[in-house]
Amino acid sequence: MQTLAPVSLSTEEQVFIDKVIATRQGRPGALLGILEATQERNRYKYLPLETLRYIAAKVDVPLARIYSVATFYALFNLQPQGENTICICRGTACHTRGSRKLLESLRLDLGLETGAELGGADKLSATTPDGKFTVRTVACFGQCALAPVAEVNHRICGHVNERTLEREVQALVREHR
Ligand code: FES
């Protein structure tokens, strides 16, 4: 059994995680469910390292394994997320229908860094300094017939173009004023 490392989680967070573990442990896919519920409760929709460490100790699974699960699934975030998330598909079908251009124009609209500064245009997760928007990429939404596809706050939008994406962003900006 691993020893509990000192963590900076509040008692409230620890109680929540303990409850989630108690209700899910032993079920198929328990770890994914535990991580998902924990991330959902986080104000910035991410899994801080100390949270992963706490879960690892509680479920008696090595931290490295928990970390590899959290990094494998696109659903999980290891960095704080913006109030709004826009996800651009960079799969083959979407790429051939112009998703790179969509991504670039979205980044310009939001004033995010260029691909070179982020270490490549195809795998991206970046948040605006004001914390309003996170732009991410995925490998495929499984909706290739609708290419190019974007997801705006978990809503799938098919056949998007630069203009429709810009309108989506503007609507969100107005909503959050
Ligand atoms: S390649 Fe974009 S949805 Fe499949």
Side-chain angles (χ1 to χ4, degrees):
M1 179 73 134
Q2 295 178 31
T3 48
L4 275 179
V7 289
S8 58
L9 298 189
S10 68
T11 309
E12 208 187 338
E13 285 170 288
Q14 293 185 32
V15 168
F16 175 82
I17 294 170
D18 291 351
K19 272 192 197 153
V20 168
I21 291 172
T23 56
R24 291 171 197 253
Q25 208 165 16
R27 294 191 196 170
L31 182 57
L32 293 180
I34 292 164
L35 294 176
E36 192 177 355
T38 304
Q39 176 173 281
E40 190 48 41
R41 186 178 182 275
N42 182 284
R43 185 171 171 205
Y44 299 105
K45 305 289 181 242
Y46 82 114
L47 294 164
L49 186 59
E50 63 266 31
T51 299
L52 295 181
R53 190 173 286 133
Y54 184 80
I55 292 171
K58 283 288 180 168
V59 299
D60 198 20
V61 168
L63 176 60
R65 188 165 152 237
I66 305 260
Y67 187 80
S68 71
V69 169
T71 49
F72 179 79
Y73 289 95
L75 160 74
F76 299 121
N77 309 309
L78 297 178
Q79 298 297 329
Q81 300 296 289
E83 288 169 36
N84 302 285
T85 301
I86 302 177
C87 202
I88 304 285
C89 179
R90 292 292 294 128
T92 307
C94 290
H95 175 75
T96 55
R97 290 181 174 259
S99 72
R100 181 188 286 268
K101 242 174 120 193
L102 282 177
L103 185 58
E104 288 306 324
S105 80
L106 182 60
R107 289 202 309 207
L108 283 174
D109 269 3
L110 296 174
L112 288 167
E113 293 171 337
T114 65
E117 285 160 333
L118 287 162
D122 287 345
K123 195 156 173 26
L124 169 75
S125 177
T127 301
T128 53
D130 63 4
K132 298 271 185 227
F133 288 92
T134 292
V135 174
R136 306 176 63 190
T137 54
V138 289
C140 178
F141 281 117
Q143 305 276 349
C144 309
L146 301 177
V149 179
E151 191 190 61
V152 179
N153 287 340
H154 304 296
R155 177 171 48 87
I156 290 284
C157 306
H159 305 304
V160 286
N161 58 42
E162 288 165 58
R163 213 165 337 125
T164 54
L165 205 52
E166 196 186 324
R167 276 205 291 266
E168 293 281 353
V169 170
Q170 282 168 358
L172 290 172
V173 168
R174 279 197 298 273
E175 230 175 77
H176 288 82
R177 257 186 202 143

